[in-house]
Amino acid sequence: MQVKCPYCNHEVEALQYCEICEKKIDWIIGFYEKSQYYYNKGYGHAAQRELSLAIPNLEKAIYYNKYNIQAKNLLGLIYFEIGQVSLALKSWILSEALCKEDNLASTYIEKLQNHPKQLESYKDSIVLYNRALHYMQKKNDDMAIIRLKKAIHINPNFLEARNLLALCYIYQKQNHKALPHLHYVLRKDGSNTKALHFLKEIEMPQEEIEEMSDVIIEAPHINDLDIMTDIKPQKVINRGGIFGHYVLYFLFGALCMFGIQVGLITPNKTAQLEQELYDRTTENTSIKVQLDTFMQDYETKIGKLTESNTKLLAENENLKQEYMKISQESKLWEVRMLRDKGDMKGAAEVLNNISVSDLKEDKKTLYEELKASIYPKAGEAFYNEGYKLYKAEQYIDAMIQFEKTLIFIPKTKNGGNALYYMGQIEENNKNISKALQYYQIVLKDYTETLVYKKAQERVKELETQGSQ
Amino acid sequence: MIKFEKELEKFKPVLEVNSIEDHISNEEIKDIIDLIKMNQQVNEQGN
């Protein structure tokens, strides 16, 4: 067996004297053996799930030898199992402090640190338990119950919280609620004194215990307990007799509701609907009036616009006529200019294009004067030009000039000549019928002219040729 | 019969996780061997 010398703190064999400092150490061997003994006892209880019995044995083991790492680790494990996480951590931390190498405590601590949320929840459950205990000490059992329930929800293995909650229920005379918690505690820790004590009190009143004082009372074996089937309702209420009354009350209530519906709700609803209908009708009438007003206004506006449009059209027409007059007057000025230049033919053509009806009265007079002075001269010019072209055998251009001659100096000698030569051109073009037309006009309207006889001869010859 | 106050006294506040460090630092880790050793030292000093 290896021991730690209390003088030089070295690990040495369990001999009478320390190998290092040579001091007498045989007196500590007994304590080491005692520590081992209590550790084994504690381990045995822990294996049997008698955790409450294991704890004091392990504490004794540590008391005799603080370097009993196994005892410290097992104690921490037991504390963890019963929900006392802080005491478990304390044991493991102390264990790790005394022996850092190859120590299970390091593994346990590491596992807890790797689950910070879980650790946080354990912390919360302890805080809730302490608060609940504080409430209980102030006789505020309802508040305590709320916190204890939450603590157990977070950490179901928190046996002390379950015991306290069971005590709360027993205090409130709700033993049936305490039972499941006590059974749970005893399942985890079969030797839990508080749970055993409460369970005894609930399942067997004190008077019976006193009568049975000579009888050995054994705690129920955990495995035989079935939480679900052992819970029975305290009393059964027979509702058969009053069911008929409930039906009658229901029917009476339904009848009353029907009466209220018919007498109050429906007429009220009808009145509301009638009011709404009246409002809608009024609104409709108002809208119609507005519409009629709008239509009247609209029609009035249309009328005004139409009238205005008519005026504008008339004005526009007037302006057009004015414009026409002005434009025709301006042509008169153009005619004068051309005349003054000596271009009688150009002046006559412009004069011919003037719309006499668009001229003002005084301008009409001017027009006639110009016409009288320009037309004869222009006609002569056109005839002379046409004759030149006829002689040059440019018959098409000659035709144009002769036609203009007839516009400006009809019923004159040269007018007749122009007609005769136009007939000659048509004859030359083999348009005999056209030529005869021209000759006939000469024979009809130009009897006093020199070309009359010539036209007569031509007509005779053409008619003779035609008959042949 | 369960006497509530008497049973309640058996319940003590549980050490909170945040207080572990303070608890360890305040507590001297001693076992019986340490106590006997201290006693020996006292006796030696007395002698």
Side-chain angles (χ1 to χ4, degrees), chain A residues 112-293:
Chain A
L112 270 177
Q113 284 173 342
N114 288 343
H115 295 88
K117 281 187 183 172
Q118 188 66 46
L119 187 59
E120 199 63 31
S121 65
Y122 289 141
K123 188 177 85 173
D124 292 339
S125 68
I126 291 168
V127 169
L128 285 165
Y129 167 82
N130 288 336
R131 277 193 198 152
L133 184 61
H134 179 70
Y135 279 124
M136 283 299 289
Q137 286 162 352
K138 296 235 165 109
K139 302 284 175 69
N140 195 344
D141 44 311
D142 291 324
M143 295 293 281
I145 285 171
I146 292 167
R147 273 149 185 78
L148 286 169
K149 277 184 175 177
K150 199 165 179 191
I152 290 163
H153 177 72
I154 295 169
N155 185 4
N157 285 350
F158 199 172
L159 304 187
E160 198 68 353
R162 285 188 184 266
N163 280 334
L164 185 58
L165 183 59
L167 181 62
C168 290
Y169 284 135
I170 293 166
Y171 177 67
Q172 289 182 344
K173 314 275 187 242
Q174 296 185 70
N175 294 348
H176 62 283
K177 285 188 180 178
L179 270 174
H181 293 288
L182 295 174
H183 285 316
Y184 187 95
V185 168
L186 289 170
R187 208 165 54 216
K188 289 284 178 184
D189 176 13
S191 60
N192 192 292
T193 48
K194 289 193 184 88
L196 285 169
H197 179 58
F198 294 153
L199 197 66
K200 264 187 204 173
E201 286 299 320
I202 291 170
E203 288 183 343
M204 198 185 303
Q206 184 62 26
E207 300 79 31
E208 290 181 22
I209 292 172
E210 285 172 1
E211 285 175 5
M212 294 169 67
S213 59
D214 294 333
V215 176
I216 297 167
I217 298 165
E218 290 181 1
H221 189 57
I222 303 303
N223 291 335
D224 291 341
L225 287 172
D226 183 358
I227 295 171
M228 299 308 292
T229 56
D230 281 344
I231 297 169
K232 292 176 187 170
Q234 286 196 339
K235 61 176 180 177
V236 177
I237 300 168
N238 185 7
R239 299 184 191 278
I242 58 173
F243 182 71
H245 286 98
Y246 288 150
V247 171
L248 278 173
Y249 292 146
F250 174 77
L251 289 172
F252 178 69
L255 203 64
C256 288
M257 279 309 300
F258 179 73
I260 290 167
Q261 176 77 20
V262 170
L264 295 173
I265 297 174
T266 307
N268 190 32
K269 193 77 179 169
T270 310
Q272 279 181 5
L273 289 169
E274 282 175 355
Q275 180 64 31
E276 203 175 321
L277 180 65
Y278 174 76
D279 291 340
R280 292 269 187 267
T281 311
T282 311
E283 199 180 323
N284 190 27
T285 311
S286 167
I287 290 169
K288 274 188 181 172
V289 166
Q290 285 179 11
L291 185 65
D292 290 338
T293 310

Side-chain angles (χ1 to χ4, degrees), chain A residues 12 38 42 47 62 65 79 89 103 113 150 179 184 236 285 301 357 378 401 412:
Chain A
V12 293
Y38 282 114
I62 293 166
N65 176 18
Y79 278 136
L89 271 172
N103 192 343
Q113 284 173 342
K150 199 165 179 191
L179 270 174
Y184 187 95
V236 177
T285 311
K301 279 182 183 171
S357 58
Q401 297 300 317
T412 60

Side-chain angles (χ1 to χ4, degrees), chain A residues 262-410:
Chain A
V262 170
L264 295 173
I265 297 174
T266 307
N268 190 32
K269 193 77 179 169
T270 310
Q272 279 181 5
L273 289 169
E274 282 175 355
Q275 180 64 31
E276 203 175 321
L277 180 65
Y278 174 76
D279 291 340
R280 292 269 187 267
T281 311
T282 311
E283 199 180 323
N284 190 27
T285 311
S286 167
I287 290 169
K288 274 188 181 172
V289 166
Q290 285 179 11
L291 185 65
D292 290 338
T293 310
F294 175 76
M295 288 301 292
Q296 280 177 6
D297 290 341
Y298 175 73
E299 281 169 4
T300 308
K301 279 182 183 171
I302 292 286
K304 283 182 182 173
L305 285 169
T306 309
E307 195 182 318
S308 174
N309 190 36
T310 310
K311 278 184 187 173
L312 285 169
L313 284 171
E315 221 173 284
N316 191 31
E317 198 56 43
N318 289 339
L319 287 169
K320 269 187 186 174
Q321 286 175 3
E322 275 299 314
Y323 172 74
M324 285 302 289
K325 283 181 182 174
I326 292 167
S327 70
Q328 298 311 308
E329 281 175 20
S330 70
K331 282 183 182 175
L332 282 176
W333 291 109
E334 194 185 344
V335 167
R336 274 173 137 181
M337 268 171 48
L338 289 167
R339 183 198 65 179
D340 293 341
K341 277 183 187 174
D343 183 7
M344 292 299 168
K345 288 199 281 186
E349 280 180 321
V350 175
L351 200 61
N352 192 41
N353 286 331
I354 290 175
S355 173
V356 183
S357 58
D358 292 329
L359 291 172
K360 292 178 185 173
E361 288 305 315
D362 58 331
K363 300 299 176 194
K364 281 181 183 175
T365 312
L366 178 62
Y367 172 82
E368 293 301 330
E369 284 175 5
L370 287 169
K371 189 177 174 182
S373 67
I374 291 169
Y375 270 25
K377 292 176 184 174
E380 292 298 322
F382 281 120
Y383 172 76
N384 292 333
E385 184 67 28
Y387 186 74
K388 272 185 192 174
L389 289 168
Y390 171 76
K391 284 294 183 190
E393 294 180 3
Q394 292 178 15
Y395 296 130
I396 295 169
D397 295 331
M399 201 68 166
I400 292 167
Q401 297 300 317
F402 287 139
E403 282 172 357
K404 285 183 182 177
T405 306
L406 288 171
I407 291 168
F408 295 113
I409 48 169

Side-chain angles (χ1 to χ4, degrees), chain A residues 6-7 27 31 63 65-66 84 86 89-90 94 129-130 136 139 160 194 197-198 201 206, chain B residues 1-2 4-5 7 10-16 18 20 23 27 29 31-32 34 36-37 40:
Chain A
Y7 303 107
W27 56 273
F31 294 123
Y63 172 72
N65 176 18
K66 70 181 180 185
Q84 303 246 17
S86 42
L89 271 172
K90 182 188 161 189
L94 288 170
Y129 167 82
N130 288 336
M136 283 299 289
K139 302 284 175 69
E160 198 68 353
K194 289 193 184 88
H197 179 58
F198 294 153
E201 286 299 320
Q206 184 62 26
Chain B
M1 194 63 196
I2 290 176
F4 177 72
E5 286 78 11
E7 296 301 328
K10 296 177 186 175
F11 288 88
K12 301 292 175 198
V14 171
L15 176 68
E16 294 192 14
N18 293 338
I20 293 174
H23 210 254
E27 202 179 87
I29 308 169
D31 58 8
I32 193 165
D34 292 328
I36 292 172
K37 196 175 95 177
Q40 286 177 347

